[in-house]
Amino acid sequence: MALQHKVFVYGTLKRGQPNREFMAAAAHGRGRFLSERHTKEQYSLVIAGRFNFPFCINKQGHGKRIKGELWEVDDERLQNLDLVEDAPMFYQQNLRVICLEDGREMEAFMYQLSNYKESLLSLPCLDDYDSEGAHNLPHRPHKITPAETMLLMHKILGTTDHLVGAEVIPA
């Protein structure tokens, strides 16, 4: 199957980061690293939540040009990325302009939060995520239940009002 999709990753999926194995594993479809690049537009890249997730907020012009990696992937890898990123329920897969080394521009899919608490915009904004960076907020590996995942997503999105009385039982 052809590598027909361009994807821009900026967080734990980058090479050298905690979830890098996903992008390298053949079991998730085919893909190949193209180069390190940055977004044309500015976005807020913040670290939040009890597991210190990096989030890119879908609000153009707020934040910094984000550095990341440009990958070429097949349909299967793109579908598996949607599962990992819980798109479209949590992240949305958006086409964004990525700047190439020679000055040209290319569109690539980028996973971003479109529904979020405004307070996320007040967090320190990064231009380049590194789990072990100077921010002192390393990504924490986690195993959580589907109920905990749902509750975490709703807390980050600020939509917990309807979850009053919901109980999360640790695994």
Side-chain angles (χ1 to χ4, degrees), residues 24-155:
H28 302 297
R30 293 183 50 231
R32 75 179 170 112
F33 170 79
L34 296 176
S35 62
E36 293 181 354
R37 294 281 143 267
H38 63 82
T39 58
K40 178 178 181 178
E41 300 296 327
Q42 296 177 334
Y43 299 98
S44 290
L45 175 57
V46 300
I47 299 173
R50 68 179 173 156
F51 299 112
N52 295 331
F53 288 117
F55 296 106
C56 179
I57 299 171
N58 186 17
K59 186 170 184 176
Q60 287 185 6
H62 189 276
K64 300 178 180 185
R65 292 168 71 171
I66 297 175
K67 297 174 187 173
E69 297 177 352
L70 187 60
W71 285 74
E72 204 169 43
V73 302
D74 66 3
D75 288 336
E76 183 181 358
R77 174 75 51 99
L78 190 63
Q79 289 170 357
N80 281 309
L81 278 166
D82 281 351
L83 292 173
V84 166
E85 302 292 6
D86 198 14
M89 294 300 295
F90 190 63
Y91 282 106
Q92 289 71 48
Q93 183 193 87
N94 299 311
L95 268 178
R96 295 293 176 238
V97 177
I98 307 302
C99 297
L100 304 177
E101 193 171 285
D102 62 6
R104 290 180 303 131
E105 298 173 347
M106 174 182 289
E107 285 190 328
F109 290 115
M110 184 175 175
Y111 290 88
Q112 297 177 290
L113 282 180
S114 292
N115 301 311
Y116 53 88
K117 289 183 189 178
E118 285 294 316
S119 62
L120 286 178
L121 294 172
S122 66
L123 293 173
C125 188
L126 306 172
D127 66 343
D128 191 11
Y129 174 80
D130 181 346
S131 179
E132 300 299 324
H135 49 70
N136 200 27
L137 296 169
H139 176 74
R140 296 184 183 147
H142 56 283
K143 285 193 175 186
I144 57 177
T145 66
E148 288 175 309
T149 301
M150 182 187 76
L151 188 58
L152 174 64
M153 288 184 349
H154 286 289
K155 282 183 178 180

